[in-house]
Each structure stands twice: as C-alpha cells, then as structure tokens.
Amino acid sequence: MNTSGPAGEGLRLIPFRGLRYVPERVGSLAAVTSPPYDVVVRPDGLHHLESADPHNIVRLILPQADTAAARHEQAAQTLKRWLAEGVLAPDPEPALYVYEQSNAEMLQRGVIGALALSAPADGVVLPHEDVMAHVVEDRADLMRTTAAHLEPLLLTYRGGGRESGAAAVIERATDRPPLLTTTTEDGYRHRLWAVTDPVEQAEIGTDLARHQALIADGHHRWATYLRLRQEHTVPGPWDFGLVLLVDTARYPLRVRAIHRLLHRLPVASALAALDGAFRVRELPGPLPSALDALAGASTEGNAFLLAGDGGFHLVDRPDPGLLARAIPADRPPAWRALDATVLHAALLDHVWEIPDTPEHIAYIHDTAAAVEQAERHNATAVLMHPVREEVVRDLARQGVTMPRKSTSFGPKPATGLVLRSLDQG
C-alpha cells in the first residue's frame, strides 16, 4: 500500500558520509559489531562484547562509568580518539547504503540513509509503541554528547513487491562488489554497498516519497531524534536521523515478543495473587514445549507463561470483570485485546501492583535469558507470545500506540557497520 502523509509528502531519505571501521585497524569487523543497545543482555553480553575487541562498538553505545554524564562523556572521548587514530574513518563522499543480512533461512535487504524527521501527526513515520522517558533522556544525552548517530533504526514500508524504484537500485547494487562482508557469531552474514550515483539516489528518493514507514525497532531513538531536533532551531543535520528502511513486501520481517522480568516478585507470590483472576496450569517443560503450549493458548485469548522457580506456569482465561475494570474503554478493540495491554493494565497495575520502572521490571528479548535470570535472582519471568505484524500496522495507522516494548521486529541491523556523524552534516 502506497500511503503518504496528509500533505502528500512521504519519506525523504538523503545520503551522508558514513563513518566506518577501517578493517586494518581492528581484529575483524565481526568482532567490533554488536546487537542494538537494548538487545545486549547485561552484564554477560556486555562483557563478552567488550572482550571481543578493544574497539567494539558497545564501548560507544553502552559506555561504562559511575554516572550517566561520565558514561556519555567517555563515549564521546572514545569516538574522538578512534577517529584521530584512524580506527573509524568517514567515507569519501555522501552515499545511501544498501545493507543485506542473511543466513541459511532468510535474506533481508534494505537501504540505510538519513531520514527527514517528522512528527507522528504528519503520518509519514508511524510509531506503534509508547516510550519510557528515562530511556529517551539517556539516549538524548548520549547523542548530544557524541554528536553522532551510532546505530540505525529499523523502519519498514510496503513497496508493493515490484522490482522498481528503490528495489531496483538495491538489487543492482548487490551485483557489485560490496564495501564490506562479515559474518557475526550468530551466523548472520552482513554485506554493505555504497550508492553514490546521483541518478540512483534520485531513483530511491522518488520511490520512497510515495510511502510511509512503520517504526519496527527504535522507538526510543526516534523519540530522541525528535527531541534533539527541537533543541536545534537552525536547519541542519539534526533534522535527519539514521535509519534502515526495509520493504517488507519483498523482505518480510519476523515479529517476536519482548519478555518481562519482574525483579522483586517471586513466582510463588505472583501465582498466589492470581487466584480467581486468571486460570493457572502447571506445565512440565522443557522451555520449547512450554512455549508451544503458550502459542496454542494464545489462539484462544490472552495468555502468558510464568517462569523462575524451575517450572513453567501457563496463565490464561482472564476474568472478564477484571478486564472490564482494568482496561480503558476508549481504545479500539484490537488494542484492548493485546496481551501487552492485559499484562500492563490488569496484571501489573491491578493484580501485582508493580510500577513500570527499571527497579521493578526489565525487558528482555531472549527467552532463555529471561528464564535464566529469573531463576538466578528468585524473580518472575513473564514470557509473551508475539503480535502479528498486520495488527501492529493497523493500530499504527489509527494513531494508537501499543504498550511499550510490545514487539521485537527482526532481524535487526548489526550495530557498528556504519555510523553517522552530526558534526559532518
């Protein structure tokens, strides 16, 4: 579907001089990349990445120091030092970048560029999740201090599936030798090409101007882009944000759930509070079998899987009276029926009375990691079933945001393959 904003203007993607690692100055490109900042499972994943290479990008996106200000200043100084030492270097001319990642099961291609920022009301870039103010503030201070976009957001659009416009340029680019090729430890192969021909750049731009995009991953960073744009009243590089755009008509994404770790709630206490509010059934496991049971229960209504005490507990069939009391009635039925809505409005707010703060709740993408951390710390992991992409897109077009961290689209772009300096325009 070709849909643009109310003023008839769609996506505006412009080239930029990407900052990229100089292969001769690092152990390997794979060793300096990282998942997006909010996917790194701390502290184990952070330590693993830091030890992979002294120049791993995690030292910029998740710097370590005693205070937030010190962390962000450390990242800025590290970036400055790597540029001075030639570890990172700008490409010689502005480019749009064709990015491909693949493994034995999937192939994804898209284009990376600097996207003109727009408010949600413009209908050009559609968010579908709420954001947390403290995360936006942290990301804003990091971007402000480093004057850089360190990792691209993942945005999707529906290009109709035809090999024309941006799709044609992408396919032609992949016939040429890439700027870089690397395979990360998760088995994904990554390739990057620079599109510097003004004719091809215009071909991409003309095509994208007819479309709107859905934020698949990076709501907090998009909100950060918008905040920093407001701080810079003179038109310039802060009016654009680093993104990867993927045509999901050609390259469908996977949609996975993001799980909750309730730090201060043991499983026994969580189950005791559910009496009469939900049906609870014990499952023998192992984890894959329990997740299959969750998937089956989710076809009939709201369902969750609790873990953390060595077992698995399927929670479903919420009390209709509880839902009527807990869930706002002024939202579309599809929003009211979301598992994330029921979890936050009914379970967290009414049954367990847990505030949505970092001290009480962590958001974890990896299912096994959520269970392991819950068992290690006598906490409760709430495992979720993913939402279908059509539901996400439909709600976004209605201007309705889902509860924060409702979805995880993937595969996500590897962080560290191309950065954008705000000092270089």
Side-chain angles (χ1 to χ4, degrees):
M1 178 178 181
N2 296 346
T3 310
S4 62
E9 296 181 358
L11 302 166
R12 181 184 170 213
L13 194 70
I14 67 169
F16 68 102
R17 292 180 65 196
L19 296 182
R20 295 190 297 112
Y21 280 100
V22 177
E24 295 78 13
R25 299 302 307 273
V26 297
S28 73
L29 289 175
V32 295
T33 62
S34 164
Y37 79 97
D38 58 341
V39 180
V40 177
V41 180
R42 291 190 272 185
D44 296 346
L46 180 64
H47 294 158
H48 174 72
L49 291 165
E50 286 181 330
S51 61
D53 189 284
H55 302 108
N56 188 282
I57 192 68
V58 78
R59 297 180 185 275
L60 300 183
I61 63 172
L62 290 173
Q64 299 300 294
D66 292 336
T67 67
R71 289 195 298 271
H72 302 149
E73 182 58 32
Q74 177 177 292
Q77 292 303 317
T78 299
L79 176 59
K80 182 178 179 180
R81 184 174 69 254
W82 288 357
L83 287 167
E85 295 173 350
V87 174
L88 287 167
D91 281 334
E93 56 185 318
L96 297 175
Y97 295 88
V98 170
Y99 173 60
E100 174 192 276
Q101 54 180 327
S102 62
N103 62 13
E105 300 175 351
M106 60 75 60
L107 171 68
Q108 179 200 84
R109 288 171 176 163
V111 60
I112 295 174
L115 184 67
L117 304 180
S118 60
D122 295 335
V124 177
V125 176
L126 305 176
H128 69 268
E129 288 184 357
D130 294 331
V131 297
M132 293 175 275
H134 74 278
V135 177
V136 175
E137 179 57 41
D138 180 76
R139 291 293 103 181
D141 194 36
L142 177 63
M143 287 186 198
R144 192 185 296 115
T145 307
T146 59
H149 293 160
L150 303 172
E151 46 188 339
L153 283 63
L154 175 60
L155 274 60
T156 74
Y157 68 101
R158 303 288 292 179
R162 297 180 300 275
E163 192 169 318
S164 60
V169 176
I170 289 171
E171 300 308 316
R172 290 199 301 269
T174 59
D175 289 333
R176 304 193 290 261
L179 288 176
L180 64 85
T181 300
T182 189
T183 300
T184 46
E185 64 179 7
D186 57 6
Y188 280 92
R189 184 180 73 159
H190 306 265
R191 297 198 294 172
L192 194 74
W193 295 263
V195 176
T196 57
D197 182 349
V199 174
E200 288 192 321
Q201 292 177 354
E203 193 174 350
I204 292 174
T206 300
D207 184 15
L208 293 179
R210 301 182 298 114
H211 297 289
Q212 66 180 179
L214 175 74
I215 300 176
D217 184 67
H219 283 81
H220 289 91
R221 283 166 286 164
W222 183 259
T224 300
Y225 288 168
L226 295 179
R227 173 182 292 194
L228 295 176
R229 180 183 65 166
Q230 291 180 333
E231 296 178 5
H232 294 79
T233 57
V234 177
W238 296 93
D239 295 330
F240 298 82
L242 182 63
V243 305
L244 164 65
L245 280 161
V246 174
D247 177 3
T248 53
R250 294 180 62 82
Y251 301 105
L253 299 183
R254 294 193 302 265
V255 186
R256 293 178 173 171
I258 302 177
H259 311 296
R260 276 65 171 161
L261 179 66
L262 311 181
H263 295 300
R264 301 178 183 179
L265 183 68
V267 173
S269 300
L271 294 174
L274 290 174
D275 185 31
F278 285 77
R279 181 177 70 169
V280 179
R281 289 178 286 167
E282 304 291 324
L283 298 178
L287 178 58
S289 298
L291 291 174
D292 287 342
L294 173 64
S298 294
T299 63
E300 302 177 4
N302 302 115
F304 311 93
L305 193 64
L306 304 190
D309 61 351
F312 301 98
H313 312 270
L314 183 62
V315 176
D316 63 356
R317 297 188 182 179
D319 172 47
L322 169 64
L323 299 185
R325 294 191 304 272
I327 298 178
D330 60 347
R331 300 292 185 92
W335 182 90
R336 292 169 54 82
L338 291 170
D339 284 341
T341 298
V342 173
L343 172 61
H344 283 262
L347 278 170
L348 295 177
D349 291 350
H350 279 69
V351 175
W352 293 327
E353 298 182 342
I354 295 176
D356 192 357
T357 62
E359 295 78 19
H360 290 87
I361 303 176
Y363 293 83
I364 300 179
H365 293 72
D366 184 85
T367 308
V371 174
E372 188 274 332
Q373 290 198 34
E375 292 179 347
R376 182 191 301 179
H377 300 293
N378 191 30
T380 294
V382 182
L383 307 183
M384 311 277 286
H385 188 68
V387 183
R388 291 180 295 111
E389 182 179 357
E390 310 89 82
V391 174
V392 176
R393 196 175 294 274
D394 182 59
L395 286 171
R397 286 185 176 133
Q398 296 179 56
V400 178
T401 55
M402 300 165 65
R404 60 194 63 169
K405 299 293 183 181
S406 293
T407 61
S408 175
F409 283 82
K412 306 177 192 302
T415 298
L417 297 182
V418 60
L419 290 65
R420 176 175 179 248
S421 170
L422 280 302
D423 288 333
Q424 298 186 30

